[in-house]
Amino acid sequence: MNCELKTNRVTLREWRENDASALFALAKVPMVGESAGFPPHRDEAESLRVIREIFCKPETYAIISTEDGSLLGCINLFPRHKGESVYEAEEVELGYWLGCPFWGRGLMAEAITLLCSRCFNSSKYKCVVVVGCAKEQNIRSCRVLEKAGFVFVETKDGMCRYELTRMA
Ligand SMILES: CC(C)(COP(=O)(O)OP(=O)(O)OC[C@H]1O[C@@H](n2cnc3c(N)ncnc32)[C@H](O)[C@@H]1OP(=O)(O)O)[C@@H](O)C(=O)NCCC(=O)NCCS
């Protein structure tokens, strides 16, 4: 079970089936999925299916407003190489998105910092590097990774790769 992580502004908690309606409201907007790599949700039933079948994976969190409990977006860690578990992998990758109304407030850098700190400070993980990838044109996403302390590594096939390395 994912534990709950919190700052004054964002709370990361596991997804619940009753998030489906709020998820649909955010994920039906094409701009969100276009950058994050998923097609816009067509109806609430699809959002519920995503919660049940995809967001049930370990280290996949709903980003919630600490202030009023509303759903802001999603963040997850997954192993870079197929077949590994997120806890055993030496390299894990970040996935993340916010609903459009919540862009531009610095919320995602906060959520990323929270999740990476847990990853590096918990004996549950073997991870030494967290990788963040964003399309070259996704300036916001590249900037967020920099703000969260990630270091630019390379641009390949239009994708910028950033890394955050665990301190010895
Ligand atoms: C990318 C994303 C996660 C950024 O999160 P965020 O919390 O909105 O990011 P921030 O508020 O920290 O803004 C990041 C940068 O975007 C830029 N930015 C912010 N608002 C902007 C605007 N209205 N227009 C243009 N650029 C803007 C700024 O340069 C800012 O950096 P700064 O704080 O140093 O000025 C969010 O926009 C998102 O979810 N987008 C859709 C999904 C996506 O792209 N996911 C990532 C896939 S790799």
Side-chain angles (χ1 to χ4, degrees):
M1 187 151 130
N2 297 330
C3 67
E4 193 168 288
L5 304 167
K6 200 178 264 205
T7 69
N8 286 341
R9 295 202 302 162
V10 295
T11 297
L12 309 187
R13 64 144 168 84
E14 63 183 9
W15 283 88
R16 300 171 185 155
E17 292 195 354
N18 64 7
D19 292 322
S21 151
L23 172 60
F24 177 55
L26 303 183
K28 69 181 178 187
V29 178
M31 260 200 307
V32 175
E34 261 162 29
S35 310
F38 62 85
H41 290 196
R42 284 160 299 187
D43 50 35
E44 204 176 305
E46 182 177 359
S47 298
L48 180 59
R49 218 167 27 249
V50 167
I51 291 172
R52 285 184 178 152
E53 294 171 14
I54 300 174
F55 292 173
C56 60
K57 290 188 181 154
E59 300 306 310
T60 302
Y61 296 87
I63 307 174
I64 302 293
S65 159
T66 304
E67 207 171 275
D68 65 13
S70 57
L71 178 69
L72 306 175
C74 181
I75 187 166
N76 71 321
L77 286 173
F78 56 96
R80 286 276 289 167
H81 305 292
K82 270 208 165 115
E84 287 183 322
S85 100
V86 68
Y87 300 113
E88 293 299 318
E90 288 202 351
E91 272 191 16
V92 299
E93 186 167 338
L94 263 178
Y96 51 91
W97 60 264
L98 288 173
C100 293
F102 312 111
W103 294 5
R105 301 186 199 171
L107 293 169
M108 189 52 84
E110 215 167 295
I112 291 174
T113 301
L114 199 55
L115 190 52
C116 290
S117 305
R118 164 171 144 81
C119 173
F120 288 149
N121 292 316
S122 161
S123 56
K124 209 169 164 187
Y125 287 92
K126 302 269 189 304
C127 165
V128 283
V129 177
V130 180
V131 175
C133 293
K135 286 184 194 147
E136 222 171 342
Q137 316 91 287
N138 196 344
I139 311 285
R140 281 191 172 92
S141 187
C142 292
R143 180 72 194 119
V144 159
L145 290 168
E146 286 166 6
K147 288 204 291 185
F150 282 62
V151 174
F152 173 75
V153 177
E154 62 172 356
T155 303
K156 204 171 166 187
D157 301 326
M159 289 298 285
C160 302
R161 176 183 162 127
Y162 291 79
E163 289 184 357
L164 187 70
T165 306
R166 179 183 223 148
M167 299 290 183

